[in-house]
Amino acid sequence: MALDLSVFNRFAVTFKAGAVIFCEYEPGDSFYLIQSGKVKIVKIFGAIEKTIDILQPGEFFGEMALLEEAPRSATIIATEETKLLEFNRENFQILMLGNPQIALKLLKLFAKRIYDQKRRFQILTLEDVHARVADVFLMLSEGEEIPADEENQGVRTFHSSIDDIAHWAGMSPEDCRKILDHFVAQRRVEVYEGRIIVKNINDFKRFVSSRRSNQDKKES
């Protein structure tokens, strides 16, 4: 759901890989839209720093601190050179009032973010770790435009790393790699540098549905 905000390039700021955009608990007065690159959302739990999400072009962050006038709830770090549009409170209001189409798209993005958070929670409730990894691929395929040849064959190509999949599945990269190796041995997936191919996404749908159904029966 990319937004064409090229007319707002005067608000563009660029961060190099590893640069901290803002820190948890800082006061916040800016809202950011990602134009290119990626950022990760990091929180400290006790003495452990944990990445809780990775945001890509078209996604946004910083809105809660701006709208609620609350401190930042997490730290944001650029994982590669990243171009952002930065709006302070005044410019954010101008953006919303003067561009109802953009406001509508932002509302849809808010709704999508809420859906994504619920979907990720649904993944983490799966006890079967193999089903959890498979469900990550289902989540990533939802709402995406699929090439006709892949749609017909059930093949899906994900430009994600093992670390990305592990993050969304709530497990270590080492454990995630073992599960993916298992799927590779079953010829269900192919793993390449920066690219993972699921041979039949419908097979994963049946697999996850079966595991979730069994879990529901045990819990009822």
Side-chain angles (χ1 to χ4, degrees):
M1 193 184 294
L3 293 175
D4 180 10
L5 297 176
S6 55
V7 296
F8 296 100
N9 275 338
R10 65 184 183 279
F11 299 119
V13 290
T14 300
F15 293 85
K16 295 186 179 299
V20 176
I21 298 167
F22 58 70
C23 291
E24 187 174 2
Y25 304 121
E26 281 183 355
D29 60 358
S30 296
F31 162 85
Y32 298 87
L33 281 164
I34 304 173
Q35 295 296 93
S36 62
K38 293 182 182 178
V39 303
K40 63 179 180 180
I41 302 175
V42 174
K43 282 184 71 69
I44 303 296
F45 297 93
I48 300 174
E49 180 183 285
K50 185 173 182 180
T51 299
I52 60 173
D53 208 349
I54 298 170
L55 303 181
Q56 308 196 31
E59 296 188 286
F60 58 89
F61 57 91
E63 75 284 356
M64 298 309 295
L66 187 149
L67 295 172
E68 296 182 348
E69 300 185 6
R72 298 295 190 187
S73 58
T75 297
I76 306 291
I77 300 173
T79 61
E80 57 191 73
E81 183 165 299
T82 299
K83 179 183 176 183
L84 307 171
L85 294 183
E86 179 181 25
F87 299 96
N88 60 26
R89 183 170 288 103
E90 179 181 353
N91 291 331
F92 180 71
Q93 291 174 350
I94 292 172
L95 175 70
M96 295 297 100
L97 293 173
N99 300 275
Q101 290 184 333
I102 292 176
L104 178 60
K105 289 182 178 180
L106 282 174
L107 283 174
K108 290 180 178 178
L109 283 172
F110 277 115
K112 183 178 185 300
R113 173 169 289 186
I114 292 171
Y115 171 81
D116 288 347
Q117 289 176 342
K118 289 183 177 178
R119 187 67 178 84
R120 290 189 61 199
F121 178 74
Q122 187 181 31
I123 291 171
L124 297 177
T125 61
L126 277 166
E127 295 175 353
D128 185 308
V129 291
H130 291 78
R132 205 186 297 170
V133 170
D135 204 16
V136 169
F137 289 111
L138 297 182
M139 179 192 73
L140 295 176
S141 71
E142 292 167 359
E144 288 194 348
E145 292 186 9
I146 310 298
D149 57 336
E150 290 196 359
E151 179 66 38
N152 293 335
Q153 299 175 19
V155 177
R156 296 288 185 276
T157 301
F158 300 95
H159 296 280
S160 302
S161 67
I162 292 176
D163 284 4
D164 293 339
I165 303 301
H167 157 67
W168 285 310
M171 62 181 62
S172 70
E174 292 76 18
D175 288 342
C176 184
R177 177 177 288 280
K178 291 177 183 175
I179 292 170
L180 287 172
D181 286 345
H182 177 73
F183 285 147
V184 169
Q186 293 180 324
R187 299 184 178 181
R188 287 170 134 172
V189 304
E190 295 175 359
V191 179
Y192 301 95
E193 181 70 30
R195 180 167 60 101
I196 299 174
I197 297 175
V198 173
K199 307 290 285 295
N200 188 335
I201 198 71
N202 295 317
D203 170 54
F204 270 5
K205 287 179 182 176
R206 289 189 291 269
F207 174 64
V208 172
S209 176
S210 172
R211 292 297 188 274
R212 195 180 297 283
S213 177
N214 291 340
Q215 182 175 319
D216 290 344
K217 288 177 183 176
K218 286 195 297 185
E219 294 174 351
S220 62

